Amino acid sequence: HPISAMSPCLKSKCLSIYLSLWQLNRTWVFQGHGALLQPQTMLLDEGHERLYVGAKNTLYSLSLDRVNTHHREIHWATTESQVEECLMKGREKPECANYIKVLQQYNQTHLLACGTGAFNPVCGLVRVGHTGLFSLDKESIESGRGRCPYDPNSPCTSTLSRGELYIGLYTDYWENDGALCRLNNQTYTRTERDDRQQLSEPKFIGSAVIPDNDDRDDDKVYFFFTEREMDAQGVNKAVFTRVGRVCANDQGGQRMLVNRWSSFLKTRLICSVAGPNGIDTHFDELEDVFVLKNKDKKNPEIFGLFSTTSAVFKGYAVCVYHMDDIRAAFNGPFAYRERPEHHWTPYEDRVPYPRPGSCASKVNGGGFSSSKEFPDEVLRFVRSHPVMYRPVRPLHRRPVLLQTEPGRRKLTQIAVDRVQAQDGHYHVLYIGTDDSLVLKVITIYNKDTDTVEEVLLEELQVFKVSQQLYVGSEVGVAQVRLHQCDLYGSECADCCLARDPYCAWDGLTCSRYYPAGVYTKSRRFRRQDVRHGNAVQLYEQWHRAEERLVYGVENNSTLLECTPRSLQAKVLWFLQRGGDKQEVQSDERVIMTSHGLLFLRVRSSDAGVYVCQTVEHGYVHTLLRITLHVLRGERVDVSPRALGPPSVPGPHSRLWYKEFLQLIGYGDAQRVEEYCERVWCSDKKRKKTKRRYVPAGGEKRGKGRGEENSHRAPRHTLDT
Ligand SMILES: *[C@@H]1O[C@H](CO)[C@@H](O)[C@H](O)[C@H]1NC(C)=O
Ligand SMILES: *[C@@H]1O[C@H](CO)[C@@H](O)[C@H](O)[C@H]1NC(C)=O
Ligand SMILES: *[C@@H]1O[C@H](CO)[C@@H](O)[C@H](O)[C@H]1NC(C)=O
Ligand SMILES: *[C@@H]1O[C@H](CO)[C@@H](O)[C@H](O)[C@H]1NC(C)=O
Ligand SMILES: *[C@@H]1O[C@H](CO)[C@@H](O)[C@H](O)[C@H]1NC(C)=O
């Protein structure tokens, strides 16, 4: 957006983010040779500290340290005759290229790369190594049929484990044959062809190999995809999100299901919110999935980004799933229906042994050394009952994040980082949008009230290891540091206000927080307060909520305006004083109106920070934070929305300073300082005593600016 068209608050925030990303060297961008890069897939190789990018006709190897330096590339285009052939099939010129869509770590020294090859898929091995070694092994190039889609726009997902490639894709030119497959150098195992019970118009989104227990023969491969199914009336096709799984060691059957999965089962993933009228709003279309690995390899957390399929209402939600719930659904009843137009019911007859969908493993009794030994009865059952009756519901039975305002940006991608903060761990969600933003969000679940609070930390204009996010877009690949604690300023209070779980005050600076034991070299005193709530919550920083300053005149009426965006929302007002937050109760003097909080006769004791929050579907949104100053008939010579410093700093300079703090998103400067001083910053180990500003009356409460600021955040450049 043009900066000039923005509200002053937004303008200063955008500027500060822009400056912070570019000037503070937080972002590097790799753009290739000027032409659109069009990345199709990316693969992180921590061992060799490289990021591999599969793009149009080219493979790149980028430095993890700085994506824009020391890159290597392999040109892998289709021949002219192949392009001609492609055009003769009636395809468009841009489609007739080699889009590298599959990139997997084959072994320590080689990558497997597959491209669409102008509608004639190809695969090959790429040598990689330290010293930037990056070369395509020409000998290894072979047909990529069944390993890469023909069409560059065709959805596909792949994962490689123990030398075997698992892939969900359309295997044919006409995109009729959607399949979940496994390839190794001897076998090709897949779902049945033309079996609409197994897969119905699938769109493949994600996949992961997840162990069930310590017996590797019990490892499962999970696929996340959507399907289109005719509804019970046989009128409309509806989209559903599925999680499907197979045993990694599935060898198929011996007489039947030869080279077909003998363990394929699937069930529905639900992401919905309860509506006020008892009708749930479902987010049925999976857009992206992120499997957040854990120390416990058996229990990663699954984050799904969903959208609604309604033509009228477009909304987005992020739901989190636990493996326990996914496994419970697969261990539950099978689904059964007499005919396709009937409803599913739980299958209640006898289920053969071994349980259909289980793996040939010691854990399952060890009676079968391979799925080829399974009785025909088991294979027949699994073939005819691939659907589980119970769906998987998300953690807390609701999304952790919701965007339901019409006309807002589309959310397309998700990556998640787990951050250990002093008061527990947080999930930091990175959500990519269609207008090339990355939203950095934490969500906090409050058990007592069963509500979820979202805190938008930053909007990064532009993925993950060593605290870097790598973002692919049409024009290039951007690398962004996940945090830049020094950006939050050089004062304890700034650090306190940022509420960024990556950062804490160490007594000297705002810097990366390392939990005990992770960074023992020079652990210093740390203050961090992300979850609580009380005061910090109100001073949430950046642009989560708009900040306003309102002056009231004693004994006169004053309206604190706040209109909710949705009519269903319930509005709550809170008054913030020091560390306390109290709900405002209306009385004969204070009235809650649909336009805001009305004081009929404002008193000086009413001064404070008022927070306007809405609660809808159990989601708390902070809409506004209004600092009310009550004047005793004094002249108000600084208009509340006035911008910029007055030309002559005079007796009002303190007021002006507060306004400046307002503009950059702070609440009442003095209260902020008080809170931070009391809760965060007062520690005898504090090494720096600074004075930031001197409140009227001259008490030495605030901390002044330091002299030695190497990384001053841009928003402090007006500090006087
Ligand atoms: C950013 O990097 C450039 C070049 O490496 C350097 O000159 C500049 O000082 C850096 N800026 C900051 C704020 O670190
Ligand atoms: C990786 O696979 C390639 C191709 O099969 C082989 O030549 C190479 O020796 C393998 N490397 C290792 C470390 O096993
Ligand atoms: C590929 O096949 C050969 C011989 O059949 C075998 O020795 C080798 O281990 C196989 N490689 C993988 C990765 O399965
Ligand atoms: C406001 O009203 C109170 C009570 O009526 C009175 O004592 C006070 O002087 C008034 N203040 C101003 C500034 O008029
Ligand atoms: C009270 O407010 C009204 C309307 O905003 C204004 O006309 C009047 O001068 C105010 N009274 C005082 C004492 O400021």
Side-chain angles (χ1 to χ4, degrees):
H1 299 280
I3 283 181
S4 58
M6 290 177 181
S7 74
C9 277
L10 203 58
K11 190 197 274 186
S12 105
K13 279 163 196 157
C14 285
L15 270 174
S16 96
I17 290 165
Y18 177 84
L19 291 175
S20 71
L21 288 174
W22 297 96
Q23 282 186 351
L24 297 173
N25 296 339
R26 186 158 169 206
T27 299
W28 295 273
V29 175
F30 174 75
Q31 287 187 300
H33 306 289
L36 290 182
L37 195 62
Q38 295 182 285
Q40 306 288 311
T41 182
M42 299 204 276
L43 176 71
L44 204 56
D45 180 351
E46 291 182 66
H48 296 120
E49 294 175 25
R50 306 295 287 186
L51 176 72
Y52 306 117
V53 180
K56 182 185 175 181
N57 293 330
T58 317
L59 274 161
Y60 295 96
S61 165
L62 309 181
S63 156
L64 281 191
D65 192 36
R66 292 276 184 282
V67 289
N68 56 351
T69 58
H70 308 299
H71 84 274
R72 300 282 170 110
E73 61 184 70
I74 295 169
H75 189 63
W76 187 9
T78 29
T79 63
E80 263 172 51
S81 67
Q82 282 169 318
V83 172
E84 244 163 65
E85 210 177 299
C86 177
L87 292 169
M88 271 164 59
K89 288 177 190 162
R91 296 289 172 173
E92 300 292 324
K93 188 90 196 276
E95 299 174 291
C96 294
N98 189 24
Y99 290 87
I100 318 285
K101 290 184 73 82
V102 175
L103 209 46
Q104 295 288 343
Q105 195 92 43
Y106 183 70
N107 61 22
Q108 276 182 349
T109 53
H110 287 75
L111 306 179
L112 171 71
C114 301
T116 57
F119 284 84
N120 189 11
V122 283
C123 287
L125 292 174
V126 175
R127 277 207 69 177
V128 294
H130 290 289
T131 69
L133 176 64
F134 194 57
S135 70
L136 180 64
D137 179 359
K138 295 253 158 51
E139 311 275 271
S140 70
I141 296 179
E142 54 182 14
S143 163
R145 248 164 265 166
R147 289 191 278 179
C148 183
Y150 284 69
D151 189 327
N153 299 314
S154 182
C156 90
T157 173
S158 65
T159 182
L160 200 139
S161 164
R162 288 191 261 169
E164 308 193 301
L165 179 71
Y166 298 89
I167 183 159
L169 83 168
Y170 281 89
T171 67
D172 61 327
Y173 178 85
W174 296 107
E175 306 242 311
N176 290 323
D177 181 37
L180 298 171
C181 318
R182 181 192 55 209
L183 299 93
N184 53 30
N185 61 5
Q186 288 132 352
T187 62
Y188 185 69
T189 309
R190 51 163 290 164
T191 43
E192 208 59 82
R193 269 176 206 277
D194 302 322
D195 180 342
R196 293 190 64 91
Q197 256 210 115
Q198 278 199 335
L199 291 175
S200 176
E201 298 179 43
K203 185 178 94 184
F204 304 101
I205 309 290
S207 50
V209 178
I210 302 172
D212 247 11
N213 45 56
D214 295 335
D215 185 350
R216 298 195 74 175
D217 278 333
D218 226 23
D219 288 2
K220 308 281 194 306
V221 187
Y222 291 84
F223 290 97
F224 301 91
F225 55 99
T226 64
E227 291 192 290
R228 286 167 68 86
E229 273 194 4
M230 207 58 102
D231 62 12
Q233 289 78 40
V235 185
N236 294 310
K237 274 187 177 172
V239 175
F240 297 106
T241 292
R242 301 283 190 192
V243 51
R245 77 173 195 192
V246 293
C247 295
N249 74 352
D250 192 341
Q251 299 301 314
Q254 182 76 338
R255 285 175 299 276
M256 58 184 295
L257 293 185
V258 179
N259 295 330
R260 298 291 182 266
W261 299 116
S262 67
S263 58
F264 176 71
L265 298 175
K266 65 179 182 185
T267 193
R268 186 172 167 197
L269 274 185
I270 288 190
C271 184
S272 65
V273 283
N277 44 8
I279 299 169
D280 291 358
T281 301
H282 279 270
F283 298 81
D284 276 324
E285 180 133 28
L286 186 65
E287 299 283 343
D288 195 19
V289 70
F290 189 85
V291 178
L292 180 64
K293 299 209 170 81
N294 222 325
K295 264 198 214 112
D296 175 7
K297 290 197 168 55
K298 300 187 274 290
N299 290 302
E301 284 160 289
I302 318 283
F303 288 76
L305 171 64
F306 295 82
S307 66
T308 51
T309 53
S310 155
V312 194
F313 160 74
K314 199 76 189 161
Y316 294 87
V318 174
C319 278
V320 187
Y321 302 91
H322 277 180
M323 288 308 296
D324 291 345
D325 297 323
I326 294 181
R327 292 190 182 105
F330 283 108
N331 291 335
F334 293 91
Y336 169 80
R337 62 181 174 187
E338 183 88 30
R339 304 163 62 92
E341 63 271 21
H342 288 183
H343 284 291
W344 293 104
T345 56
Y347 179 85
E348 277 161 351
D349 284 351
R350 195 187 70 89
V351 171
Y353 178 86
R355 185 182 157 90
S358 61
C359 310
S361 66
K362 284 185 214 69
V363 169
N364 289 322
F368 303 91
S369 65
S370 149
S371 59
K372 291 190 170 171
E373 297 175 4
F374 284 163
D376 286 355
E377 193 194 3
V378 169
L379 302 185
R380 238 177 275 132
F381 187 96
V382 81
R383 169 83 210 266
S384 53
H385 300 88
V387 186
M388 305 313 298
Y389 181 69
R390 283 195 198 129
V392 183
R393 293 189 189 276
L395 187 66
H396 310 314
R397 300 200 143 226
R398 66 172 65 204
V400 292
L401 189 131
L402 200 59
Q403 181 189 295
T404 55
E405 286 162 57
R408 286 286 293 273
R409 54 178 65 106
K410 291 185 180 138
L411 309 184
T412 57
Q413 268 162 335
I414 184 165
V416 182
D417 188 22
R418 181 185 290 106
V419 186
Q420 185 64 47
Q422 212 167 31
D423 55 349
H425 75 256
Y426 291 89
H427 290 133
V428 180
L429 276 50
Y430 293 89
I431 296 175
T433 70
D434 64 332
D435 53 357
S436 38
L437 281 179
V438 176
L439 312 178
K440 176 178 167 187
V441 186
I442 56 171
T443 65
I444 299 169
Y445 177 70
N446 185 328
K447 221 160 106 194
D448 302 332
T449 57
D450 191 31
T451 55
V452 182
E453 187 195 7
E454 302 157 15
V455 181
L456 179 62
L457 296 171
E458 292 180 89
E459 279 184 9
L460 306 172
Q461 185 84 39
V462 217
F463 283 128
K464 164 209 139 120
V465 84
S466 58
Q467 311 298 330
Q468 307 276 339
L469 182 74
Y470 299 95
V471 186
S473 82
E474 276 277 280
V475 295
V477 174
Q479 168 190 9
V480 185
R481 271 201 272 161
L482 294 192
H483 52 82
Q484 182 139 20
C485 299
D486 52 29
L487 178 76
Y488 295 128
S490 51
E491 308 290 340
C492 176
D494 299 322
C495 197
C496 151
L497 293 173
R499 242 186 132 183
D500 188 325
Y502 290 107
C503 306
W505 179 251
D506 68 358
L508 280 174
T509 55
C510 191
S511 56
R512 173 80 175 102
Y513 171 76
Y514 294 93
V518 171
Y519 187 70
T520 44
K521 221 161 62 187
S522 69
R523 248 176 61 228
R524 289 178 286 185
F525 167 74
R526 289 290 177 152
R527 263 314 307 183
Q528 202 189 28
D529 187 352
V530 183
R531 193 178 298 269
H532 294 111
N534 41 52
V536 177
Q537 203 160 341
L538 280 180
Y539 296 118
E540 275 167 21
Q541 239 236 297
W542 298 101
H543 41 308
R544 177 73 196 119
E546 203 184 316
E547 309 265 348
R548 269 187 209 158
L549 190 60
V550 168
Y551 291 90
V553 176
E554 199 177 357
N555 293 341
N556 215 338
S557 67
T558 300
L559 177 69
L560 306 185
E561 261 188 276
C562 180
T563 319
R565 288 171 281 208
S566 151
L567 293 173
Q568 278 88 42
K570 180 179 175 213
V571 177
L572 296 176
W573 283 92
F574 292 92
L575 172 60
Q576 185 74 25
R577 282 225 183 81
D580 303 325
K581 179 175 159 186
Q582 281 172 355
E583 191 173 343
V584 177
Q585 307 293 343
S586 53
D587 54 29
E588 72 281 354
R589 205 175 52 82
V590 184
I591 299 166
M592 272 174 227
T593 74
S594 57
H595 296 286
L597 193 64
L598 177 66
F599 291 87
L600 292 179
R601 270 178 290 101
V602 75
R603 293 178 187 154
S604 56
S605 58
D606 291 328
V609 178
Y610 289 83
V611 181
C612 171
Q613 288 191 329
T614 60
V615 184
E616 194 178 2
H617 304 310
Y619 290 84
V620 180
H621 297 278
T622 301
L623 283 180
L624 260 182
R625 236 181 286 289
I626 302 176
T627 307
L628 173 66
H629 289 274
V630 179
L631 305 174
R632 286 186 191 210
E634 285 168 22
R635 205 165 52 95
V636 188
D637 57 0
V638 179
S639 96
R641 308 291 290 165
L643 267 179
S647 48
V648 186
H652 292 294
S653 57
R654 189 185 134 230
L655 216 54
W656 162 75
Y657 184 81
K658 284 197 173 182
E659 275 198 57
F660 177 68
L661 280 180
Q662 280 294 314
L663 284 175
I664 61 172
Y666 282 5
D668 183 308
Q670 190 170 332
R671 290 186 193 286
V672 172
E673 292 278 343
E674 266 169 22
Y675 169 77
C676 289
E677 181 71 16
R678 196 159 54 78
V679 182
W680 249 62
C681 309
S682 61
D683 185 86
K684 39 183 179 293
K685 289 186 194 157
R686 198 173 65 209
K687 299 193 176 72
K688 250 190 206 171
T689 324
K690 292 177 169 185
R691 293 174 56 78
R692 186 196 188 107
Y693 75 97
V694 182
E699 316 110 279
K700 292 183 193 162
R701 188 187 291 108
K703 295 173 298 305
R705 57 183 290 190
E707 315 75 33
E708 64 290 58
N709 286 313
S710 45
H711 296 285
R712 293 186 67 77
R715 59 170 192 257
H716 292 121
T717 50
L718 288 180
D719 204 337
T720 55

PDB file of all heavy atoms in Angstrom, residues 199-215:
ATOM      1  N   LEU A 199      -9.725 -42.759  -3.189  1.00  0.00           N
ATOM      2  CA  LEU A 199      -9.406 -41.354  -3.452  1.00  0.00           C
ATOM      3  C   LEU A 199     -10.419 -40.791  -4.432  1.00  0.00           C
ATOM      4  O   LEU A 199     -10.670 -41.382  -5.484  1.00  0.00           O
ATOM      5  CB  LEU A 199      -8.002 -41.214  -4.065  1.00  0.00           C
ATOM      6  CG  LEU A 199      -6.801 -41.531  -3.187  1.00  0.00           C
ATOM      7  CD1 LEU A 199      -5.519 -41.452  -4.016  1.00  0.00           C
ATOM      8  CD2 LEU A 199      -6.709 -40.586  -1.997  1.00  0.00           C
ATOM      9  N   SER A 200     -10.969 -39.625  -4.078  1.00  0.00           N
ATOM     10  CA  SER A 200     -11.966 -39.021  -4.934  1.00  0.00           C
ATOM     11  C   SER A 200     -11.544 -37.589  -5.255  1.00  0.00           C
ATOM     12  O   SER A 200     -11.611 -36.709  -4.408  1.00  0.00           O
ATOM     13  CB  SER A 200     -13.312 -39.052  -4.211  1.00  0.00           C
ATOM     14  OG  SER A 200     -14.284 -38.400  -4.955  1.00  0.00           O
ATOM     15  N   GLU A 201     -11.064 -37.382  -6.452  1.00  0.00           N
ATOM     16  CA  GLU A 201     -10.563 -36.063  -6.894  1.00  0.00           C
ATOM     17  C   GLU A 201      -9.645 -35.436  -5.851  1.00  0.00           C
ATOM     18  O   GLU A 201      -9.895 -34.333  -5.380  1.00  0.00           O
ATOM     19  CB  GLU A 201     -11.723 -35.115  -7.209  1.00  0.00           C
ATOM     20  CG  GLU A 201     -12.599 -35.598  -8.345  1.00  0.00           C
ATOM     21  CD  GLU A 201     -13.752 -34.652  -8.626  1.00  0.00           C
ATOM     22  OE1 GLU A 201     -13.508 -33.424  -8.634  1.00  0.00           O
ATOM     23  OE2 GLU A 201     -14.880 -35.139  -8.826  1.00  0.00           O
ATOM     24  N   PRO A 202      -8.596 -36.118  -5.474  1.00  0.00           N
ATOM     25  CA  PRO A 202      -7.745 -35.611  -4.392  1.00  0.00           C
ATOM     26  C   PRO A 202      -6.918 -34.391  -4.800  1.00  0.00           C
ATOM     27  O   PRO A 202      -6.573 -34.227  -5.970  1.00  0.00           O
ATOM     28  CB  PRO A 202      -6.816 -36.791  -4.088  1.00  0.00           C
ATOM     29  CG  PRO A 202      -6.739 -37.535  -5.378  1.00  0.00           C
ATOM     30  CD  PRO A 202      -8.094 -37.409  -6.006  1.00  0.00           C
ATOM     31  N   LYS A 203      -6.667 -33.562  -3.803  1.00  0.00           N
ATOM     32  CA  LYS A 203      -5.676 -32.484  -3.969  1.00  0.00           C
ATOM     33  C   LYS A 203      -4.658 -32.749  -2.863  1.00  0.00           C
ATOM     34  O   LYS A 203      -5.007 -32.752  -1.680  1.00  0.00           O
ATOM     35  CB  LYS A 203      -6.351 -31.120  -3.786  1.00  0.00           C
ATOM     36  CG  LYS A 203      -5.426 -29.944  -4.057  1.00  0.00           C
ATOM     37  CD  LYS A 203      -6.160 -28.619  -3.921  1.00  0.00           C
ATOM     38  CE  LYS A 203      -6.000 -28.042  -2.531  1.00  0.00           C
ATOM     39  NZ  LYS A 203      -6.742 -26.816  -2.259  1.00  0.00           N
ATOM     40  N   PHE A 204      -3.418 -33.010  -3.252  1.00  0.00           N
ATOM     41  CA  PHE A 204      -2.411 -33.439  -2.285  1.00  0.00           C
ATOM     42  C   PHE A 204      -1.726 -32.245  -1.643  1.00  0.00           C
ATOM     43  O   PHE A 204      -1.248 -31.350  -2.326  1.00  0.00           O
ATOM     44  CB  PHE A 204      -1.385 -34.335  -2.983  1.00  0.00           C
ATOM     45  CG  PHE A 204      -2.023 -35.506  -3.668  1.00  0.00           C
ATOM     46  CD1 PHE A 204      -2.233 -35.501  -5.041  1.00  0.00           C
ATOM     47  CD2 PHE A 204      -2.462 -36.593  -2.940  1.00  0.00           C
ATOM     48  CE1 PHE A 204      -2.844 -36.563  -5.675  1.00  0.00           C
ATOM     49  CE2 PHE A 204      -3.077 -37.667  -3.562  1.00  0.00           C
ATOM     50  CZ  PHE A 204      -3.277 -37.651  -4.941  1.00  0.00           C
ATOM     51  N   ILE A 205      -1.705 -32.233  -0.320  1.00  0.00           N
ATOM     52  CA  ILE A 205      -1.164 -31.066   0.380  1.00  0.00           C
ATOM     53  C   ILE A 205       0.113 -31.377   1.147  1.00  0.00           C
ATOM     54  O   ILE A 205       1.067 -30.607   1.104  1.00  0.00           O
ATOM     55  CB  ILE A 205      -2.198 -30.487   1.377  1.00  0.00           C
ATOM     56  CG1 ILE A 205      -3.545 -30.245   0.703  1.00  0.00           C
ATOM     57  CG2 ILE A 205      -1.675 -29.216   2.022  1.00  0.00           C
ATOM     58  CD1 ILE A 205      -3.573 -29.113  -0.292  1.00  0.00           C
ATOM     59  N   GLY A 206       0.153 -32.481   1.877  1.00  0.00           N
ATOM     60  CA  GLY A 206       1.342 -32.746   2.692  1.00  0.00           C
ATOM     61  C   GLY A 206       1.487 -34.211   3.028  1.00  0.00           C
ATOM     62  O   GLY A 206       0.561 -35.000   2.851  1.00  0.00           O
ATOM     63  N   SER A 207       2.681 -34.579   3.520  1.00  0.00           N
ATOM     64  CA  SER A 207       2.946 -35.971   3.885  1.00  0.00           C
ATOM     65  C   SER A 207       4.082 -36.022   4.893  1.00  0.00           C
ATOM     66  O   SER A 207       4.920 -35.125   4.939  1.00  0.00           O
ATOM     67  CB  SER A 207       3.310 -36.779   2.643  1.00  0.00           C
ATOM     68  OG  SER A 207       4.323 -36.118   1.907  1.00  0.00           O
ATOM     69  N   ALA A 208       4.096 -37.069   5.711  1.00  0.00           N
ATOM     70  CA  ALA A 208       5.164 -37.232   6.693  1.00  0.00           C
ATOM     71  C   ALA A 208       5.215 -38.680   7.151  1.00  0.00           C
ATOM     72  O   ALA A 208       4.190 -39.341   7.227  1.00  0.00           O
ATOM     73  CB  ALA A 208       4.911 -36.335   7.901  1.00  0.00           C
ATOM     74  N   VAL A 209       6.437 -39.141   7.444  1.00  0.00           N
ATOM     75  CA  VAL A 209       6.597 -40.473   8.023  1.00  0.00           C
ATOM     76  C   VAL A 209       6.670 -40.278   9.533  1.00  0.00           C
ATOM     77  O   VAL A 209       7.493 -39.499  10.019  1.00  0.00           O
ATOM     78  CB  VAL A 209       7.885 -41.145   7.501  1.00  0.00           C
ATOM     79  CG1 VAL A 209       8.059 -42.517   8.142  1.00  0.00           C
ATOM     80  CG2 VAL A 209       7.848 -41.256   5.978  1.00  0.00           C
ATOM     81  N   ILE A 210       5.779 -40.953  10.276  1.00  0.00           N
ATOM     82  CA  ILE A 210       5.730 -40.766  11.732  1.00  0.00           C
ATOM     83  C   ILE A 210       5.711 -42.134  12.407  1.00  0.00           C
ATOM     84  O   ILE A 210       4.830 -42.958  12.119  1.00  0.00           O
ATOM     85  CB  ILE A 210       4.476 -39.954  12.142  1.00  0.00           C
ATOM     86  CG1 ILE A 210       4.483 -38.596  11.423  1.00  0.00           C
ATOM     87  CG2 ILE A 210       4.428 -39.771  13.658  1.00  0.00           C
ATOM     88  CD1 ILE A 210       3.210 -37.794  11.587  1.00  0.00           C
ATOM     89  N   PRO A 211       6.692 -42.400  13.277  1.00  0.00           N
ATOM     90  CA  PRO A 211       6.695 -43.693  13.955  1.00  0.00           C
ATOM     91  C   PRO A 211       5.556 -43.789  14.965  1.00  0.00           C
ATOM     92  O   PRO A 211       5.122 -42.784  15.518  1.00  0.00           O
ATOM     93  CB  PRO A 211       8.061 -43.755  14.653  1.00  0.00           C
ATOM     94  CG  PRO A 211       8.647 -42.405  14.573  1.00  0.00           C
ATOM     95  CD  PRO A 211       7.848 -41.559  13.642  1.00  0.00           C
ATOM     96  N   ASP A 212       5.081 -45.019  15.179  1.00  0.00           N
ATOM     97  CA  ASP A 212       4.022 -45.261  16.142  1.00  0.00           C
ATOM     98  C   ASP A 212       4.606 -45.638  17.487  1.00  0.00           C
ATOM     99  O   ASP A 212       4.028 -45.361  18.528  1.00  0.00           O
ATOM    100  CB  ASP A 212       3.177 -46.447  15.650  1.00  0.00           C
ATOM    101  CG  ASP A 212       1.780 -46.013  15.275  1.00  0.00           C
ATOM    102  OD1 ASP A 212       1.549 -44.801  15.193  1.00  0.00           O
ATOM    103  OD2 ASP A 212       0.925 -46.888  15.069  1.00  0.00           O
ATOM    104  N   ASN A 213       5.759 -46.311  17.438  1.00  0.00           N
ATOM    105  CA  ASN A 213       6.420 -46.801  18.641  1.00  0.00           C
ATOM    106  C   ASN A 213       7.870 -47.082  18.261  1.00  0.00           C
ATOM    107  O   ASN A 213       8.315 -46.608  17.211  1.00  0.00           O
ATOM    108  CB  ASN A 213       5.707 -48.065  19.150  1.00  0.00           C
ATOM    109  CG  ASN A 213       5.413 -49.023  18.019  1.00  0.00           C
ATOM    110  OD1 ASN A 213       6.324 -49.426  17.299  1.00  0.00           O
ATOM    111  ND2 ASN A 213       4.142 -49.347  17.820  1.00  0.00           N
ATOM    112  N   ASP A 214       8.587 -47.853  19.064  1.00  0.00           N
ATOM    113  CA  ASP A 214      10.001 -48.045  18.761  1.00  0.00           C
ATOM    114  C   ASP A 214      10.261 -49.125  17.709  1.00  0.00           C
ATOM    115  O   ASP A 214      11.377 -49.300  17.260  1.00  0.00           O
ATOM    116  CB  ASP A 214      10.766 -48.377  20.053  1.00  0.00           C
ATOM    117  CG  ASP A 214      10.737 -47.192  21.000  1.00  0.00           C
ATOM    118  OD1 ASP A 214      10.590 -46.053  20.499  1.00  0.00           O
ATOM    119  OD2 ASP A 214      10.822 -47.383  22.226  1.00  0.00           O
ATOM    120  N   ASP A 215       9.222 -49.837  17.328  1.00  0.00           N
ATOM    121  CA  ASP A 215       9.358 -50.865  16.298  1.00  0.00           C
ATOM    122  C   ASP A 215       9.246 -50.191  14.925  1.00  0.00           C
ATOM    123  O   ASP A 215       8.179 -49.720  14.541  1.00  0.00           O
ATOM    124  CB  ASP A 215       8.232 -51.901  16.493  1.00  0.00           C
ATOM    125  CG  ASP A 215       8.370 -53.087  15.545  1.00  0.00           C
ATOM    126  OD1 ASP A 215       9.211 -53.018  14.617  1.00  0.00           O
ATOM    127  OD2 ASP A 215       7.640 -54.066  15.743  1.00  0.00           O
TER     128      ASP A 215
END
